């Protein structure tokens, strides 16, 4: 039996295992782990000599650095939110500004921050979803449009720098250093953010300042500007120092930066919480992010199993031999639906092989990776997982049909997809951003 036939059989078995486990277990992370196990077991059956345990355990460590970053960033965001800084800033903004567009822009900017720091749009919804929904609803947007607003800025936050998990996994799978992605990611995100605010906010009429303030949580009277800004200044200073003083200071790493910023948030917290209370905050954070951690770890196992069994190479060769025009035509449909099924695994299965194809054509691989990492998040509202879409609907309390919510986000998602597609078709025209 030829290597091509045996590898194709392994791929078919993986697809069958994923579909069946998704149907019966309804858990993307467990389904991905089972799929990886099937790939290894079938590989052994075809004479493959690698041990099952070695491949699976090594796979758990493939994305360990990403998991550490995700955990520390989420803890920082949770502790910073618990200080009441965000509530205080929101009340100050509502009291200061009467213009609807300014407040919508601030709410969108707020939503971008937690996801940009953690790489998960769900964190933005957990931390800010209810409060942003309250303010956006007070600007006259319907429940459906408010849910669309929360969802769009949640997926944009997940794609925003410095932490874009899709881009990181694509870079890891294609041996590209995760450097120089910030501006190429921010350029389209800013454009789509402005369009989303105008598209969803057009024609709405805001409530009075008194009504808006009455619906918001009370701010701590001891929360001053220095308490609000110090943790963020520490984080930004560490980012800048690591970039521009790399030969002067020790290598800190993003996880340590978030730990130090979390300590700064604890020091600046006007609420004198005990160690037990901070432990409860951290425990609640782990409960929120555990499904995403499980997904990232299971993606690592899948990535390692696909590499070892030859399936990754088979998929790569298949994509490389496709006419590029068909990739351009189908990518806006295939990539989001893969994201809905595989979550971050879509970046490994679909993203990395495309990088090799476009790199062989002389296109800048970083811009192509950026484009793909902007298309994948669109699938977070699609079944079977629909993680971010479901959370957005729940945070807003929208009780209409889910299909009507999908129609509400269709145009902003299409704009995001078309901009990303343009970056994929003409990537070398965007290299000035690197």
């Amino acid at each position: 039996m030829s290597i091509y036939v045996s590898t194709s059989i392994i791929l078919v078995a993986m697809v069958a295992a994923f579909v069946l486990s998704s149907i019966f277990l309804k858990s993307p992370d467990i389904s991905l782990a089972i799929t990886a196990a099937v790939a290894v077991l079938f590989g052994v059956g075809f004479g493959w000599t690698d041990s099952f345990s070695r491949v699976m355990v090594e796979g758990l460590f493939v994305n360990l650095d990403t998991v550490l970053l995700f955990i520390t960033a989420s803890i920082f965001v949770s502790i910073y939110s618990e200080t009441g800084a965000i509530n205080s800033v929101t009340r100050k903004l509502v009291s200061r500004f009467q213009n609807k567009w300014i407040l919508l822009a601030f709410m969108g900017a707020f939503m971008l921050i937690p996801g940009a720091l953690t790489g998960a749009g769900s964190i933005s919804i957990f931390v800010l979803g209810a409060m942003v929904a309250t303010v956006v609803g007070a600007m006259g947007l319907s429940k459906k449009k408010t849910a669309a607003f929360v969802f769009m800025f949640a997926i944009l936050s997940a794609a925003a720098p410095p932490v874009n998990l899709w881009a990181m996994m694509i870079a890891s799978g294609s041996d590209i250093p995760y450097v120089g992605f910030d501006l190429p990611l921010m350029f389209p995100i800013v454009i789509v953010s402005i369009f989303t605010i105008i598209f969803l906010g057009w024609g709405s009429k805001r409530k009075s300042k008194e009504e808006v303030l009455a619906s918001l949580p009370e701010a701590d009277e001891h929360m001053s500007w220095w308490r609000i800004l110090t943790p963020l200044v520490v984080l930004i200073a560490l980012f800048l120092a690591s970039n521009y003083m790399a030969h002067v200071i020790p290598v800190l790493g993003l996880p340590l930066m978030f730990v130090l910023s979390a300590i700064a948030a604890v020091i600046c917290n006007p609420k004198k919480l005990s160690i037990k209370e901070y432990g409860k905050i951290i425990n609640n954070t782990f409960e929120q992010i555990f499904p995403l951690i499980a997904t990232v770890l299971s993606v690592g196992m899948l990535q390692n199993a696909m590499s070892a069994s030859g399936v990754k190479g088979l998929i790569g060769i298949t994509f490389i031999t496709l006419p590029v025009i068909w990739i351009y035509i189908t990518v806006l449909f295939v990539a989001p639906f893969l994201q809905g099924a595989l979550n971050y695994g879509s970046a490994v299965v679909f993203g990395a092989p495309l990088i090799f194809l476009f790199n062989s054509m002389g296109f800048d691989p970083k811009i192509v990776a950026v484009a793909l990492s902007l298309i994948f998040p669109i699938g977070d509202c699609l079944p079977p997982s629909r993680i971010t879409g479901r959370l957005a609907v729940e945070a807003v309390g929208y009780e209409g049909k889910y299909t009507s919510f999908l129609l509400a986000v269709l145009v902003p998602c299409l704009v995001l997809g078309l901009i990303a597609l343009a970056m994929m078709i003409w990537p070398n025209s965007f290299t000035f951003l690197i």
Side-chain angles (χ1 to χ4, degrees):
M1 185 182 295
S2 67
I3 295 177
Y4 181 83
V5 173
S6 62
T7 308
S8 298
I9 293 174
I10 296 173
L11 176 59
V12 171
M14 290 174 64
V15 172
F18 180 78
V19 171
L20 291 174
S21 56
S22 297
I23 293 173
F24 291 105
L25 299 178
K26 301 185 185 303
S27 172
D29 6 296
I30 297 177
S31 299
L32 289 171
I34 291 174
T35 304
V38 167
V40 177
L41 292 174
F42 268 71
V44 172
F46 284 112
W48 178 33
T49 56
D50 279 338
S51 68
F52 176 87
S53 58
R54 185 180 73 82
V55 174
M56 298 297 283
V57 171
E58 282 183 358
L60 285 173
F61 288 89
V62 168
N63 296 318
L64 182 61
D65 54 344
T66 302
V67 170
L68 289 175
L69 171 59
F70 188 33
I71 291 171
T72 54
S74 299
I75 290 173
F76 163 69
V77 169
S78 296
I79 292 177
Y80 184 70
S81 176
E82 185 64 26
T83 65
I86 297 173
N87 293 338
S88 179
V89 170
T90 304
R91 292 187 68 90
K92 291 177 188 295
L93 290 174
V94 172
S95 300
R96 174 69 177 81
F97 297 104
Q98 301 297 315
N99 188 282
K100 173 187 71 176
W101 300 111
I102 293 177
L103 287 173
L104 287 176
F106 273 118
M107 292 303 103
F110 280 173
M111 283 289 294
L112 289 176
I113 295 172
L117 296 178
T118 62
S122 57
I123 298 298
S124 289
I125 298 177
F126 284 136
V127 174
L128 295 173
M131 186 193 68
V132 169
T134 299
V135 176
V136 171
M139 296 302 105
L141 275 70
S142 65
K143 288 273 189 180
K144 180 168 67 175
K145 285 190 173 183
T146 301
F149 184 97
V150 171
F151 170 77
M152 283 304 303
F153 278 97
I155 64 171
L156 289 173
S157 73
V163 182
N164 180 316
L165 291 179
W166 294 280
M168 292 175 103
M169 289 185 180
I170 292 172
S172 173
S174 49
D175 296 325
I176 300 173
Y178 187 70
V179 178
F181 283 80
D182 293 354
L183 284 179
L185 284 169
M186 282 307 301
F187 176 72
I189 286 172
V190 170
I191 294 174
V192 177
S193 297
I194 295 171
F195 174 83
T196 301
I197 291 170
I198 296 173
F199 178 77
L200 295 176
W202 194 264
S204 63
K205 185 177 180 181
R206 64 162 288 171
K207 297 178 182 178
S208 66
K209 179 176 71 175
E210 290 72 22
E211 290 179 279
V212 181
L213 290 174
S215 61
L216 293 174
E218 290 295 329
D220 192 315
E221 60 180 8
H222 299 293
M223 179 56 72
S224 57
W225 278 111
W226 76 267
R227 295 180 185 274
I228 294 171
L229 295 176
T230 299
L232 298 177
V233 169
V234 169
L235 183 61
I236 294 171
L238 291 173
F239 277 147
L240 295 176
S242 64
N243 285 333
Y244 299 105
M245 300 175 63
H247 299 289
V248 179
I249 63 173
V251 177
L252 298 176
L254 285 172
L256 180 57
M257 293 181 194
F258 283 115
V259 170
L260 295 175
S261 302
I263 293 172
V266 171
I267 295 173
C268 296
N269 189 359
K271 308 171 188 175
K272 302 306 177 184
L273 303 181
S274 63
I275 295 177
K276 184 178 180 180
E277 288 173 313
Y278 280 114
K280 187 176 180 181
I281 294 171
I282 295 173
N283 183 60
N284 291 338
T285 302
F286 270 99
E287 287 185 4
Q288 291 176 349
I289 67 176
F290 181 78
L292 296 172
I293 293 175
T295 298
V296 173
L297 292 175
S298 59
V299 165
M301 287 192 290
L302 178 66
Q303 182 177 345
N304 206 41
M306 288 176 64
S307 298
S309 63
V311 171
K312 186 177 179 181
L314 174 66
I315 295 174
I317 292 173
T318 302
F319 277 119
I320 288 173
T321 56
L322 281 176
V324 178
I325 185 64
W326 283 106
I327 295 176
Y328 293 146
I329 292 172
T330 60
V331 67
L332 291 184
F333 302 96
V334 175
F337 277 102
L338 275 176
Q339 174 65 22
L342 298 174
N343 289 329
Y344 294 111
S346 57
V348 177
V349 174
F350 189 71
L354 286 183
I355 294 300
F356 292 115
L357 170 61
F358 284 97
N359 189 43
S360 67
M361 296 166 57
F363 292 163
D364 190 283
K366 287 187 179 179
I367 299 298
V368 177
V370 165
L372 288 169
S373 70
L374 293 171
I375 296 175
F376 285 129
I378 297 173
D380 277 343
C381 64
L382 298 176
S385 61
R386 58 191 179 95
I387 295 174
T388 310
R390 185 177 68 248
L391 289 174
V393 168
E394 291 173 357
V396 173
Y398 175 63
E399 298 178 353
K401 293 182 178 180
Y402 191 77
T403 50
S404 65
F405 161 74
L406 291 178
L407 290 174
V409 302
L410 177 61
V411 174
C413 284
L414 186 59
V415 171
L416 174 61
L418 290 175
I419 292 175
L421 183 60
M423 296 180 74
M424 187 181 296
I425 296 174
W426 302 287
N428 292 348
S429 299
F430 294 88
T431 52
F432 69 93
L433 295 170
I434 299 178

